[in-house]
Amino acid sequence: MAVGMSGPRARTETVVRPAEEPDGDTSGGIGSGGQALDPDDLPDGLVVADETGRIICFNSAAARITAVPRAAALGRPLEHALPLEDLKGRRWWELTDPYGGLATRVGQPERNLLLPGGREVLVSARYVRESPTGPVRRLVVSLRGTEARRRNERSDAELIATVAHELRSPLTSVKGFTATLLAKWERFTDDQKRLMLETVYADANRVTRLITELLDISRIDSGRLELRRQPVDLSAAVERHVQALTAAGQDPARFLVRTCQPLPVVWADPDKVDQVLGNLLENAVRHGEGTVTIEVAPAPAKSDEKGTAVTVSDEGPGIPEESMARVFTRFWRGSKRGGTGLGLYIVKGIVEAHGGTITVGRGPGGGAEFRFILPVSTPAYMK
């Protein structure tokens, strides 16, 4: 885009180098102050038509997205080179009539349109006029592929299917046991009633955890994950989680905790930190083998800020090298031992929301090793 002066008013205009210039560039060029920007450098498709509706710029991204060769598009009328239709089968250029429609229109918002053969593209347009109500001098069209949107839609569909599957089992159990107790309460002994109620309680907790995961995913994806920062003793938090696991029946000898003092005071959300530690330790216990080693030590964070690193490793088979790049994605499961495959995705989102980093690798004992670093993040008023 170039900004130039015309009389007392400044205006913004798109300057396009014609396809037949001596340098042989057939894509057209956008210039400003003598410096040309090659349209082929743009990530989105760019199509520019002149005042007659003939294409004078068609960059490589447009050719890739539409599968229309550049040579077949340049110089042709826009409606012939790109015979777009809406989802109802109506011819798009005839419907919008950019050159003969209302003189006050400035463009078209992005929408999903179809090329011959059913190829989908996301199209938006801008009408460039000499004056606010003058004729269209340039029609600038932006094109984007739909692959990213389709991937997001598939991911959302997978999430819905996973949630439906994970909810069905505990809800069926809750409904079945409560119905049985209501109908035949007097026939059961106290021990039988307790067993059924404990099962209902456990399944209700499972549903609650799944709903919490869904809310966390929604907040992470939208950038609305709220943190209530306060001083957190990571060493004490690790000890608390290990004690909870041993109280639940795990062998205390299976855990080895190493703490390197002194540790800097980390300002973080204690509930979110507990969620991270709980997930990593549960993964190490469930999917790993041998001793689970947890090391807490000072470490440099991003931008040379001080921080604390927590490393959780086990002595199991570890994670295959080809899978390490997918560990923190949705629905990744290290084994077939249950779970939604959402936990590590949430862990990464929580750590990064704190300004920290998390990595995965192979531990000294051959098993998986997860290491996250949380920066100190001291409030400004305390510095």
Side-chain angles (χ1 to χ4, degrees):
M1 301 295 288
V3 179
M5 299 298 295
S6 176
R9 297 178 58 190
R11 62 188 176 92
T12 303
E13 63 179 16
T14 302
V15 180
V16 181
R17 188 167 64 244
E20 64 274 12
E21 285 195 3
D23 61 6
D25 181 8
T26 59
S27 66
I30 302 175
S32 177
Q35 296 180 347
L37 171 65
D38 189 345
D40 288 343
D41 293 336
L42 299 175
D44 293 336
L46 175 67
V47 181
V48 181
D50 61 14
E51 63 275 6
T52 67
R54 293 185 177 274
I55 296 176
I56 58 174
C57 176
F58 199 85
N59 71 350
S60 58
R64 171 178 52 80
I65 292 169
T66 63
V68 176
R70 178 181 293 169
L74 287 171
R76 294 185 64 196
L78 184 62
E79 65 271 18
H80 295 163
L82 293 178
L84 295 166
E85 295 182 352
D86 65 11
L87 300 182
K88 295 182 179 179
R90 297 174 296 184
R91 300 297 294 267
W92 181 241
W93 300 119
E94 295 178 4
L95 184 66
T96 57
D97 192 14
Y99 291 93
L102 292 174
T104 56
R105 292 186 303 173
V106 295
Q108 292 289 335
E110 185 178 78
R111 62 190 63 208
N112 197 339
L113 299 177
L114 301 175
L115 283 166
R119 192 181 187 91
E120 294 183 75
V121 288
L122 298 172
V123 182
S124 58
R126 174 77 177 178
Y127 305 158
V128 181
R129 304 176 186 273
E130 288 284 1
S131 61
T133 58
V136 173
R137 185 173 60 85
R138 292 285 189 271
L139 177 61
V140 182
V141 180
S142 175
L143 304 173
R144 290 197 300 149
T146 60
E147 293 82 3
R149 177 176 292 186
R150 294 301 179 207
R151 283 195 298 269
N152 289 336
E153 290 175 351
R154 284 194 298 270
S155 180
D156 291 341
E158 289 175 359
L159 180 60
I160 293 171
T162 299
V163 171
H165 175 76
E166 293 293 329
L167 283 175
R168 179 180 299 171
S169 177
L171 288 178
T172 300
S173 172
V174 168
K175 184 177 179 180
F177 278 122
T178 53
T180 301
L181 287 171
L182 287 172
K184 303 177 181 179
W185 178 268
E186 296 82 4
R187 300 185 186 182
F188 296 109
T189 65
D190 288 344
D191 288 341
Q192 289 173 326
K193 292 174 184 177
R194 175 178 292 276
L195 177 61
M196 285 189 281
L197 288 174
E198 286 176 348
T199 304
V200 168
Y201 181 74
D203 285 335
N205 282 337
R206 181 178 167 188
V207 172
T208 300
R209 286 195 301 271
L210 181 59
I211 292 173
T212 301
E213 287 183 346
L214 292 176
L215 290 173
D216 286 336
I217 287 176
S218 173
R219 290 165 182 154
I220 289 170
D221 289 346
S222 62
R224 295 186 293 106
L225 188 66
E226 295 183 2
L227 301 177
R228 294 176 173 85
R229 295 181 185 268
Q230 56 185 278
V232 174
D233 186 340
L234 286 174
S235 178
V238 168
E239 292 284 358
R240 187 170 63 253
H241 278 275
V242 171
Q243 290 173 5
L245 288 169
T246 56
Q250 292 293 329
D251 183 1
R254 190 177 181 189
F255 300 96
L256 174 61
V257 180
R258 296 177 181 151
T259 303
C260 301
Q261 298 286 359
L263 294 172
V265 177
V266 172
W267 284 73
D269 187 320
D271 292 335
K272 300 301 182 187
V273 170
D274 280 341
Q275 194 173 349
V276 171
L277 290 173
N279 195 298
L280 294 180
L281 289 174
E282 183 181 346
N283 275 351
V285 170
R286 179 184 297 177
H287 305 295
E289 298 173 3
T291 301
V292 176
T293 302
I294 308 101
E295 182 176 298
V296 186
K302 291 188 292 188
S303 304
D304 296 328
E305 185 180 9
K306 293 181 180 179
T308 298
V310 179
T311 305
V312 179
S313 59
D314 62 74
E315 298 174 339
I319 300 172
E321 291 290 336
E322 62 272 14
S323 298
M324 286 190 179
R326 299 185 288 110
V327 165
F328 297 109
T329 60
R330 289 186 186 183
F331 311 117
W332 183 84
R333 294 181 177 89
S335 68
K336 297 181 180 179
R337 302 183 192 177
T340 60
L342 301 174
L344 291 176
Y345 177 81
I346 294 173
V347 163
K348 183 174 186 289
I350 291 174
V351 170
E352 291 182 346
H354 280 85
T357 57
I358 184 168
T359 56
V360 62
R362 190 169 294 278
E369 179 181 274
F370 290 89
R371 185 172 190 261
F372 70 91
I373 301 175
L374 294 183
V376 172
S377 298
T378 306
Y381 67 85
M382 297 186 63
K383 295 180 180 179

